[in-house]
Amino acid sequence: MNRLILGDGLMGSELVKLTGWDFISRKKNHIDFVNLDSYKHYLCDYDEVINCIANCDTYDTDRQKHWDVNYKGVVDLVDFMKDNEKKLIHYSTDYVYSNSKTDVSEQDVPVHCENWYGYTKLLGDAYVQLKLDNHLIIRGTHKPKPFKYEKAFINQIGNFDYVDEIAKINVKLIESGVVGIYNVGTELKTMYDLARKTNTKVKPVNEKFHDTMPNDITMNLGKLDEFFE
């Protein structure tokens, strides 16, 4: 199967390191994700495209920036993939489950996290599901390794992990050919628990970085567990 990665950020770079799959990016190829004409010619030779591009500035209040990348760019890409009968692997986020119930599954109703990031990512997911049968949506959070901040939240809990751990799971899902939505993560932990694995000097904090920071982004990983059985 011929695969192309869009983006060379945290996850894109890790996937390239693990697999050697081809990739394109703004830095390497001068593409503009919001302008499909700037990169669609790269897609023609590939059966599957893995979209790792997003505006991940979680608390940025500029609606248009999130809207353009996380929704409009996704819409144009999906339409191209459908017209050319290709599979899209699309990276979403566990933030779409914020303010939903604890231990939320892929079948539960996601509720956006009161910021443009979560809202536009959810809209992008919906368009993928609506328009393209041959898709894989991966929801979760991956962090750079080692943990680079001085403080970590003890009041934020979820299934997040370091990018190398999450990427290994993602590669197995992608190579298996599964379709649909998968929650991807590891055992339940606080952000402080995760930080301590690579930074013993990190300090615990019990506060909110921003008013819309979600405290509970736990996901039900039952579907993922079944995949590995």
Side-chain angles (χ1 to χ4, degrees):
M1 190 66 66
N2 221 0
R3 300 184 176 97
L4 177 70
I5 298 169
L6 299 184
D8 58 358
L10 193 59
M11 179 55 68
S13 296
E14 191 68 25
L15 292 177
V16 171
K17 184 168 69 173
L18 288 174
T19 67
W21 294 335
D22 293 341
F23 76 98
I24 60 173
S25 70
R26 179 181 58 82
K27 289 180 289 185
K28 183 169 78 78
N29 306 95
H30 309 290
I31 70 170
D32 178 3
F33 186 64
V34 183
N35 179 10
L36 182 66
D37 289 337
S38 74
Y39 72 93
K40 66 181 181 181
H41 55 285
Y42 290 108
L43 311 181
C44 297
D45 294 331
Y46 297 90
D47 305 301
E48 298 182 356
V49 174
I50 304 162
N51 179 32
C52 299
I53 295 176
N55 182 342
C56 296
D57 191 351
T58 322
Y59 305 113
D60 182 7
T61 59
D62 189 328
R63 181 181 80 84
Q64 197 63 45
K65 290 181 180 179
H66 287 285
W67 190 270
D68 287 346
V69 176
N70 297 339
Y71 183 64
K72 180 186 180 299
V74 172
V75 166
D76 293 340
L77 175 60
V78 167
D79 290 345
F80 177 89
M81 300 296 282
K82 181 178 181 179
D83 290 343
N84 291 273
E85 299 182 344
K86 298 176 184 293
K87 182 176 182 179
L88 176 64
I89 293 92
H90 178 66
Y91 276 90
S92 181
T93 173
D94 49 11
Y95 268 48
V96 302
Y97 294 132
S98 302
N99 299 326
S100 185
K101 67 182 186 180
T102 299
D103 193 38
V104 64
S105 80
E106 294 88 346
Q107 298 303 314
D108 289 314
V109 179
V111 180
H112 73 81
C113 56
E114 299 177 348
N115 59 56
W116 289 117
Y117 169 68
Y119 180 63
T120 53
K121 289 295 288 181
L122 181 58
L123 289 177
D125 287 7
Y127 195 84
V128 174
Q129 291 177 273
L130 181 66
K131 295 293 185 178
L132 188 63
D133 292 334
N134 195 11
H135 70 262
L136 169 62
I137 295 174
I138 297 174
R139 287 176 173 166
T141 287
H142 48 272
K143 295 294 182 181
K145 186 178 183 179
F147 194 84
K148 60 182 181 179
Y149 304 105
E150 295 180 358
K151 301 177 181 179
F153 300 112
I154 61 173
N155 59 326
Q156 187 176 55
I157 186 170
N159 303 96
F160 33 70
D161 211 321
Y162 290 115
V163 64
D164 58 336
E165 296 299 325
I166 299 297
K168 291 174 187 176
I169 301 172
N170 292 339
V171 169
K172 291 179 180 178
L173 282 172
I174 293 167
E175 291 184 333
S176 75
V178 295
V179 296
I181 299 177
Y182 277 79
N183 294 338
V184 172
T186 55
E187 78 284 351
L188 207 60
K189 63 187 78 66
T190 67
M191 193 60 70
Y192 177 70
D193 294 333
L194 178 64
R196 285 278 299 173
K197 291 181 178 182
T198 59
N199 182 355
T200 57
K201 295 181 179 180
V202 68
K203 297 178 181 178
V205 291
N206 185 12
E207 58 188 41
K208 278 199 171 189
F209 174 74
H210 191 278
D211 288 342
T212 60
M213 186 193 89
N215 294 110
D216 186 345
I217 43 177
T218 59
M219 300 184 298
N220 186 304
L221 300 180
K223 186 176 179 180
L224 184 67
D225 292 339
E226 289 181 8
F227 169 81
F228 281 105
E229 286 179 354

